């Protein structure tokens, strides 16, 4: 294995570990906030987090993405990358200062119109915005310079700080205190920004080339649509038409669905490698075969989790977040039942991007974003929480269809519809078996019964429907089998052989 490939794999594993740590810490703190603050208080926290991250996306102007792409290739350890960082930082500071001032001005208006307690919530939201914005900027430089180990350590440290500080803050100060823990989550990497700045270097407009600026603008616009519209815009509609309590309900459902989606998104990029190599070789037949195999394998993982999770939601949600969140069960089940489509969309997205047609991706996002706003406007006032969930379900479905169609038309690769339909059938059987356990028992006993029942039903369905081929088994064992502990390899091989009869 070449040194570059080895370094790439090592960096990917480090990033994956850091992402998993961040996901666990984030989910744990959302549960803590829900338990201590209830639906209304946790809804305020979720809304403030969305405002802070959206403001950061607005303020960064695509500069972190430009640095991530270009700092690594400039003069190795020379001065060119340092000049680029200084130049980008100057523009970044101006933009961040403007957005930060706007948040503080809004806090002053809230203080005049309402009271100091509400104003403090917005002041702390402004501090969270600053912490997150500098975290993103600093992380981009570190990863661009291949310092993945450093970002992994700061991510772990941030997660360790976040959980107890959210707990203590929420306990003592309510939603405002909980946000202090989130500020601490991003500070370790944000504070490292000073170590990446060489003050002896002077900014130069030539360092940030037009190509870099154009790339940054395209990614910036794409990120704005994703964060402002496609990620959490339901909070805005729920807060306007209903209340912060409804935001808390919806945030609980999104927390579960988002956790699964992010885990699945970590699986998909590794699988995409197989068709990016085929694309580079300009082998259309190999590209299409790899694309179809990736979709089949990822669907085999995603669909039972998505459908099975939706089936056990009546007992799972109260068990995690408390009985106060019972009204969120239908919407949460809807979100989880469709989250597999959100995770699967990364596959056609990746193959379209690999072909150099990024403008097509932007068009899909614009269409999805506009339709999301229209659906939320129509459904939330009439159906409330469930209307928001149905709007998201419709948009993730539409996005996957549009991306699949775009990949078929412009990259000449096709979705394996028959295999996908069979996998959906197996996942439905998994959900039915899990549902029997849920409706036969209550609480933790129901979950402990439902999950094994769903797993067994799904494995039998996979075998009967022949969803895994012997070739799939060989590929999986060749790529992942060597990384398993020695004692578990024969067991994994026997299980896969059972699932894929010759």
């Amino acid at each position: 294995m070449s040194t570059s490939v080895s370094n790439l794999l090592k960096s990917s594993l480090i990033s994956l570990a850091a992402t998993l740590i961040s996901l666990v810490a984030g989910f744990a703190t959302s549960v803590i906030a829900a338990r201590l603050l209830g639906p209304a208080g946790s809804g305020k926290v979720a809304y403030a987090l969305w405002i802070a991250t959206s403001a950061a996306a607005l303020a960064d102007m695509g500069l972190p993405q430009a640095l991530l792409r270009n700092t690594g290739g400039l003069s190795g350890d020379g001065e060119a990358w340092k000049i680029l960082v200084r130049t980008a930082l100057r523009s970044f500071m101006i933009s961040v200062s403007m957005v930060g001032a706007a948040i503080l001005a809004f806090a002053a208006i809230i203080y005049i119109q309402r009271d100091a307690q509400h104003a403090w919530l917005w002041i702390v939201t402004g501090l969270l915005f600053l912490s997150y914005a500098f975290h993103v900027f600093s992380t981009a430089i570190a990863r661009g310079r291949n310092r993945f180990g450093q970002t992994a350590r700061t991510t772990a440290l941030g997660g360790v700080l976040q959980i107890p500080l959210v707990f203590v803050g929420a306990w003592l100060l309510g939603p405002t205190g909980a946000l202090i823990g989130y500020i601490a989550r991003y500070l370790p990497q944000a504070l490292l920004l000073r170590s990446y700045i060489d003050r002896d270097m002077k900014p130069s407009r030539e360092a940030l080339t037009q190509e870099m600026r154009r790339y940054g603008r395209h990614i910036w616009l794409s990120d704005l649509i994703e964060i402002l519209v496609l990620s959490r815009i339901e909070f805005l509609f729920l807060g306007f038409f209903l209340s912060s309590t409804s935001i808390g309900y919806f945030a609980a459902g999104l927390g579960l669905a988002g956790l699964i989606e992010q885990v699945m998104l970590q699986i998909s990029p590794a699988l995409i490698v197989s068709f990016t190599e085929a694309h580079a070789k300009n082998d259309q037949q190999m590209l299409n075969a790899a694309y179809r195999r990736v979709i089949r394998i990822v669907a085999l993982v995603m669909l039972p989790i998505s459908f099975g999770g939706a089936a056990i939601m009546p007992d799972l949600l109260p068990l995690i977040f408390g009985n106060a969140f019972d009204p969120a069960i239908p919407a949460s089940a809807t979100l989880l039942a469709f989250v597999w489509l959100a995770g699967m969309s990364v596959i056609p997205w990746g193959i379209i991007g690999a072909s150099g047609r990024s403008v097509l991706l932007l068009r899909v996002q614009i269409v999805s974003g506009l339709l999301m706003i229209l659906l939320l406007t129509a459904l939330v006032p009439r159906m409330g929480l469930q209307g928001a969930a149905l709007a998201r379900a419709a948009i993730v479905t539409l996005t996957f269809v549009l991306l699949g169609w775009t990949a078929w038309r412009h990259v000449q690769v096709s979705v394996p519809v028959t295999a996908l339909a069979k996998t959906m059938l197996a996942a439905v059987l998994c959900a039915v078996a899990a549902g029997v356990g849920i409706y036969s028992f209550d609480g933790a006993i129901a979950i402990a019964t439902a999950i094994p029942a769903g797993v067994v039903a799904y494995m039998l369905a996979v075998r009967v429907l022949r969803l895994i081929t012997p070739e799939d088994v060989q590929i999986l064992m060749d790529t992942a089998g060597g990384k398993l502990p020695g004692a578990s390899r024969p067991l994994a091989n026997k299980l896969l052989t059972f699932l894929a009869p010759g």
Side-chain angles (χ1 to χ4, degrees), residues 119-200:
W120 270 111
L121 178 67
W122 283 100
I123 291 173
V124 175
T125 300
L127 295 175
L128 175 60
F129 152 71
L130 292 174
S131 177
Y132 181 74
F134 283 105
H135 162 85
V136 171
F137 193 87
S138 177
T139 299
I141 300 172
R143 289 180 173 173
R145 298 300 299 171
N146 201 29
R147 300 178 184 178
F148 290 93
Q150 190 177 66
T151 58
R153 287 191 294 272
T154 56
T155 297
L157 177 59
V160 170
L161 292 172
Q162 179 183 4
I163 294 175
L165 287 176
V166 168
F167 177 84
V168 174
W171 184 29
L172 297 178
L173 300 173
T176 303
L179 290 175
I180 295 174
Y182 287 95
I183 293 174
R185 155 68 181 85
Y186 300 111
L187 277 180
Q189 183 63 44
L191 294 175
L192 281 179
L193 178 59
R194 294 182 60 186
S195 66
Y196 308 144
I197 306 299
D198 188 340
R199 298 186 180 276
D200 295 331

Side-chain angles (χ1 to χ4, degrees), residues 106-319:
F106 185 76
I109 294 172
I110 293 296
Y111 175 76
I112 294 171
Q113 293 186 346
R114 302 189 69 174
D115 53 40
Q117 182 180 1
H118 289 87
W120 270 111
L121 178 67
W122 283 100
I123 291 173
V124 175
T125 300
L127 295 175
L128 175 60
F129 152 71
L130 292 174
S131 177
Y132 181 74
F134 283 105
H135 162 85
V136 171
F137 193 87
S138 177
T139 299
I141 300 172
R143 289 180 173 173
R145 298 300 299 171
N146 201 29
R147 300 178 184 178
F148 290 93
Q150 190 177 66
T151 58
R153 287 191 294 272
T154 56
T155 297
L157 177 59
V160 170
L161 292 172
Q162 179 183 4
I163 294 175
L165 287 176
V166 168
F167 177 84
V168 174
W171 184 29
L172 297 178
L173 300 173
T176 303
L179 290 175
I180 295 174
Y182 287 95
I183 293 174
R185 155 68 181 85
Y186 300 111
L187 277 180
Q189 183 63 44
L191 294 175
L192 281 179
L193 178 59
R194 294 182 60 186
S195 66
Y196 308 144
I197 306 299
D198 188 340
R199 298 186 180 276
D200 295 331
M201 296 292 116
K202 293 184 178 180
S204 171
R205 295 191 62 181
E206 289 74 23
L208 199 59
T209 65
Q210 288 299 317
E211 191 277 333
M212 293 180 189
R213 294 178 187 274
R214 182 167 54 253
Y215 173 82
R217 283 195 300 268
H218 288 165
I219 299 298
W220 179 51
L221 181 56
S222 179
D223 285 349
L224 280 178
I225 296 173
E226 177 65 30
I227 294 174
L228 290 175
V229 181
L230 297 177
S231 64
R232 297 292 187 270
I233 197 174
E234 296 94 338
F235 292 170
L236 184 63
F237 285 82
L238 290 170
F240 181 79
F241 289 111
L242 299 175
S243 65
S244 60
T245 301
S246 64
I247 297 177
Y249 290 147
F250 198 79
L254 275 182
L256 285 171
L259 182 66
I260 295 171
E261 178 184 353
Q262 288 301 315
V263 171
M264 293 188 292
L265 288 175
Q266 295 304 314
I267 296 172
S268 298
L271 297 172
I272 290 172
V273 171
S274 61
F275 62 69
T276 53
E277 180 182 353
H279 183 82
K281 293 179 179 179
N282 199 27
D283 187 337
Q284 187 61 42
Q285 184 177 357
M286 181 181 176
L287 180 67
N288 189 48
Y291 176 75
R292 292 169 66 88
R293 178 175 290 113
V294 168
I295 289 180
R296 286 196 303 103
I297 294 175
V298 175
L300 281 167
V301 176
M302 293 182 176
L303 274 163
I305 298 175
S306 188
F307 286 10
I312 66 175
M313 191 59 68
D315 283 277
L316 182 63
L317 191 73
L319 184 66

Side-chain angles (χ1 to χ4, degrees), residues 313-315 317-318 325-334 385-386:
M313 191 59 68
D315 283 277
L317 191 73
F325 285 82
D326 281 353
I329 290 174
S332 299
T334 301
L385 200 64
Q386 186 65 6

Side-chain angles (χ1 to χ4, degrees), residues 270-271 274 286 289-290 292-294 296-297 468-483 493 496 500:
L271 297 172
S274 61
M286 181 181 176
R292 292 169 66 88
R293 178 175 290 113
V294 168
R296 286 196 303 103
I297 294 175
I468 298 179
T469 67
E471 185 182 4
D472 295 333
V473 174
Q474 187 64 42
I475 292 173
L476 289 171
M477 291 305 298
D478 288 345
T479 55
K483 299 178 176 63
N493 189 53
L496 289 173

Side-chain angles (χ1 to χ4, degrees), residues 438-460:
I438 289 296
Y439 290 104
S440 300
F441 303 97
D442 293 312
I445 296 177
I447 300 294
T449 304
I451 292 178
V455 169
V456 171
Y458 184 66
M459 291 174 62
L460 292 175

Side-chain angles (χ1 to χ4, degrees), residues 47-80:
Y47 188 73
L49 287 170
W50 178 64
I51 291 294
T53 53
S54 298
L58 178 64
D60 71 29
M61 300 184 298
L63 291 169
Q65 292 83 355
L67 292 176
L68 176 64
R69 185 189 186 197
N70 295 286
T71 53
L74 290 176
S75 301
D77 293 324
E79 297 181 350

